[in-house]
Structures are given as structure tokens and as C-alpha cells.
Amino acid sequence: MMFQMCTCHSPLLATNITKNRGFTLIELLVVLVILTLLAGLVGPRVMSQLGGAKSKTAGLQIADLEKSMELFKLDVGRYPSTAEGLDALANRPAAANGWNGPYIKGNLPTDPWGKPYLFTSPTANGGVDIMTLGADATAGGTGENADIRNQP
């Protein structure tokens, strides 16, 4: 007769099972410290890139609006007046003979901070001025608060 030994109730095996059930508090704290350090190093860089992206988006939108203004001028023979505003690109002004718009798709865009673009026409050189005042919505500033416009 053969006897088969059962090892499932062995005290040595039972000790190994209970020791490998999870992480210790110290191991968890070490992981949390490492994650906090990584977030502290990477977080500011990601946030600064996000801010720069908004300024770049505003510059691209202003360039698109300026191109739409050129199309308006080709059809009507002039730029929209300040009173007509940027809305003249989407809706026909009363005094715009030859208007063949809309010159923009969809609604008139707002700047990346949710405010309408400022528009002046004609300027001293006969063109148009399209701008945003940046994140702080006040003239001047640096970084995200800087004014962004189509003309220097």
C-alpha cells in the first residue's frame, strides 16, 4: 500500500501563505512618496505647456479671423467697420453689398479664456486689429496674461 502525504496542512506552508498576503505599510508609504515626487517634478511642466497652448490657440484663431477678413474685403471691397464687428463674418451687415458669406464656419469663436475677441477697423494703416487681452482680460501683461494680436 502506498501512502500519500498531504502537504496542505503543513505548518511551514501555512506560514508562507500568511506572510505573502499584501504590502506592508512601509512599502505603501515608499510608493506614495515616489509618486508625490514624480507629480511634483512633472506637474509644473505639464501645466506650463497647457498655458502656452492657450496662447498659441489664440494666435491661430486670430490668424484665421484675419484671413476671413481678407475674404470679406475681396467680396465687399472694404473691411467691416468696428460697429459691424467680427459678427460681419457670420451675418450679413446691412451696408455690405457683395457679401458672399458666411466667411467662418459655425459660430464666432471666443478666445481660449472664453471672452470675445476685440476688433477695430479701420486702424491707422487702413487694416484691421483683432486681439485678445489674455487670461487676465486687462491690457498688457506677460506670459498667459499678455495681449495677443494680429498686428505688432
Side-chain angles (χ1 to χ4, degrees):
M1 257 172 106
M2 280 233 0
F3 290 100
Q4 191 173 12
M5 183 175 207
C6 178
T7 58
C8 58
H9 296 292
S10 163
L12 182 60
L13 185 60
T15 343
N16 285 339
I17 290 174
T18 56
K19 285 185 179 177
N20 292 329
R21 287 201 175 193
F23 297 106
T24 65
L25 180 62
I26 292 176
E27 290 170 328
L28 291 174
L29 288 175
V30 168
V31 169
L32 285 174
V33 167
I34 291 171
L35 290 175
T36 304
L37 288 173
L38 284 174
L41 294 172
V42 174
R45 291 182 188 208
V46 170
M47 293 308 287
S48 69
Q49 291 297 322
L50 176 65
K54 285 188 176 185
S55 294
K56 290 176 186 173
T57 300
L60 291 173
Q61 284 180 331
I62 288 172
D64 286 344
L65 289 171
E66 189 174 26
K67 289 175 188 169
S68 298
M69 284 288 165
E70 293 297 326
L71 293 173
F72 180 96
K73 183 179 179 185
L74 284 173
D75 287 344
V76 179
R78 64 173 177 82
Y79 290 116
S81 67
T82 302
E84 292 169 335
L86 293 172
D87 188 54
L89 298 174
N91 302 304
R92 181 185 180 146
N97 296 330
W99 190 86
N100 196 22
Y103 298 96
I104 57 171
K105 290 183 180 179
N107 297 327
L108 196 61
T110 57
D111 71 11
W113 300 279
K115 296 171 184 68
Y117 284 102
L118 304 175
F119 173 71
T120 307
S121 174
T123 59
N125 66 0
V128 295
D129 186 21
I130 306 168
M131 70 177 293
T132 178
L133 298 175
D136 65 352
T138 57
T142 58
E144 281 299 294
N145 296 331
D147 301 345
I148 303 166
R149 65 180 354 121
N150 65 321
Q151 296 179 356

